[in-house]
Amino acid sequence: MPVHATNPLLHAQVENHGDFLYHFGMGTMTHDLPEMFGQIRFVLMGGSASRMEKMANLLHNELGLKKGEEIVDLAKAGGRYSMYKVGQVLLVNHNIGASTLSVVLHEIFKLLEHAGVDRSSVHVIRLGTSGGLGVEPGTVVIANGAIDALKRDHFHSAECGKMVPIPCKLDLSASALLKTVADEIGMPAVQGKTMGTDDFYLGQGRLDGAFLSYGLRDKMDFLKDVHDNYGVKNIEMEAHILSAFTHRAGLKCSIVCVTLLDRLMGDQVTTPKAILKEFEQRPLRLVAEFIRRAIN
Ligand code: R2B
Ligand code: URA
C-alpha cells in the first residue's frame, strides 16, 4: 500500500471547495493562511494548552519580540486545541495520546502546505513530561529514537481498515545539538530512546490502574527489558506517532521530555507540586534557548 507524504487530492479540494481545518476553526476560504503562517520554521507541541501559552510568552521575551505581536489563541473558534504564534514559531497543544495528536498533526501539516511553507525548513519539537527509566526525576530526555508500547520501531496506523506501519524517525543531529545546549546551560539531560504508549497505566506497566493483567515481576521485567535492551530512557504517550507522522510528512522532529519520576522506583507521581512545576519548565527553557540560537 502506498504511504503518501501528501494527499494528492488536497490541491483539487482547495481549488474546488476550499479546505476547512475543522478543529482549528480556520480554512483556506476564510483565512489568508500564507500571510498568517508563511514564515513558520518551528512548530512546538505539548499536551496542555497552558504549557504552550507559557512557552509562547517565554519565546516572546527571549526573541525580543516585544511590540506588535499579541499572544492570542488562534484556534479558539475550533474549540478543541489552542494555537499561538510568536514570530517564526507556531505553538499548538495536542492533549493526551496518539488519537488526539493525529488530528492536530493532519491539520498542522495541511495548514503549512496551504501556507506555502517549505517542509525542509520546518522543525517540529515536542515539549513534554514522561516517566523516566533509571534517571533522576527532573532529568530531561532528548529522544534519539522512538518505539511503541510493543517495542516496535514503527507506528502502526489503522488506515481505511488496514494496518499501515510507518517508521518512527527523529532528527539525530538536532538531538545531539539539543544535548549540547542543555550541557551549556547546566540542565540535567540525557539522550535516549523514548517509548510512546496508548495507555498511561497498563501500556506503561503500572500497577496502579483500574485493571491489572500482570504482576510486579512482569512489570519490572518489562521496564528493565526496554531500558537494558532497547535503550529506553523514558515513557510517554506521543513519541511513536509524532516521530512517524513528522517523518512521513518530511519534517524534522525532536522530542524533549522531562521525567517526573523514576518508573523503576514506583508508579505514582508524588513529587511535590512546586518541584513538578519547575521540572515542567525545563524542556521549555532548553528549547527556548535552542530556538534563540537557531534564529539569531
Ligand atoms: C505525558 O503525560 C501525559 C499523561 O499524563 C501524556 O500526554 C504524556 O505523554
Ligand atoms: N507521562 C506519562 O506518560 N507517564 C508518566 O509516567 C509520567 C508522565
Side-chain angles (χ1 to χ4, degrees):
M1 182 186 296
V3 177
H4 293 293
T6 356
N7 177 355
L9 307 179
L10 202 55
H11 287 289
Q13 160 85 22
V14 172
E15 272 172 26
N16 296 336
H17 315 284
D19 186 26
F20 189 61
L21 309 174
Y22 170 67
H23 301 86
F24 291 157
M26 60 177 83
T28 56
M29 304 293 259
T30 49
H31 293 72
D32 185 346
L33 299 178
E35 160 68 22
M36 289 173 77
F37 301 108
Q39 72 280 38
I40 295 302
R41 274 181 60 197
F42 289 94
V43 178
L44 305 188
M45 307 194 75
S48 85
S50 67
R51 196 186 313 148
M52 292 298 100
E53 191 179 7
K54 261 186 215 139
M55 185 64 177
N57 281 299
L58 181 61
L59 281 176
H60 198 270
N61 294 335
E62 289 281 316
L63 302 178
L65 302 169
K66 296 259 179 324
K67 286 185 222 110
E69 266 208 354
E70 259 188 288
I71 309 289
V72 286
D73 182 358
L74 300 170
K76 210 174 173 124
R80 294 285 189 174
Y81 300 94
S82 291
M83 175 191 284
Y84 304 97
K85 187 169 67 105
V86 178
Q88 296 173 298
V89 186
L90 186 68
L91 303 99
V92 187
N93 80 304
H94 55 62
N95 299 308
I96 295 182
S99 59
T100 152
L101 180 51
S102 86
V103 175
V104 83
L105 285 177
H106 277 281
E107 295 189 11
I108 288 174
F109 297 159
K110 293 203 294 173
L111 180 141
L112 294 174
E113 184 80 16
H114 298 326
V117 174
D118 171 13
R119 289 152 187 250
S120 66
S121 67
V122 177
H123 189 172
V124 178
I125 310 179
R126 170 167 139 73
L127 317 169
T129 59
S130 61
L133 290 181
V135 292
E136 194 60 34
T139 305
V140 172
V141 178
I142 303 161
N144 59 12
I147 58 174
D148 75 357
L150 293 174
K151 303 177 274 189
R152 302 175 294 192
D153 62 1
H154 284 62
F155 175 71
H156 286 69
S157 181
E159 302 186 3
C160 198
K162 299 222 164 56
M163 200 53 99
V164 182
I166 320 277
C168 298
K169 297 269 184 211
L170 288 152
D171 192 279
L172 295 184
S173 56
S175 172
L177 196 52
L178 280 157
K179 169 73 170 112
T180 304
V181 175
D183 292 345
E184 286 174 9
I185 64 173
M187 183 168 292
V190 294
Q191 287 182 277
K193 285 219 179 82
T194 296
M195 173 182 263
T197 71
D198 298 329
D199 183 322
F200 180 84
Y201 291 97
L202 302 174
Q204 301 186 7
R206 282 187 152 81
L207 299 173
D208 61 346
F211 313 112
L212 203 56
S213 58
Y214 48 83
L216 174 62
R217 165 79 62 87
D218 304 301
K219 165 192 164 172
M220 293 314 290
D221 286 350
F222 166 61
L223 295 180
K224 284 197 181 120
D225 175 42
V226 296
H227 177 266
D228 297 351
N229 301 320
Y230 291 81
V232 171
K233 293 267 194 330
N234 65 338
I235 309 180
E236 42 83 285
M237 300 183 66
E238 293 83 15
H240 50 339
I241 184 169
L242 183 63
S243 59
F245 272 26
T246 46
H247 173 67
R248 183 183 201 175
L251 310 180
K252 234 195 230 191
C253 179
S254 301
I255 300 180
V256 180
C257 292
V258 71
T259 58
L260 304 182
L261 73 166
D262 183 352
R263 288 295 320 291
L264 298 177
M265 311 299 285
D267 293 338
Q268 298 252 309
V269 182
T270 52
T271 313
K273 229 179 160 91
I275 297 181
L276 281 183
K277 257 186 123 175
E278 193 277 315
F279 284 176
E280 286 180 22
Q281 292 293 315
R282 292 182 181 182
L284 281 62
R285 283 176 30 228
L286 171 57
V287 171
E289 176 59 15
F290 176 81
I291 290 178
R292 194 187 62 75
R293 293 183 187 193
I295 282 179
N296 287 333

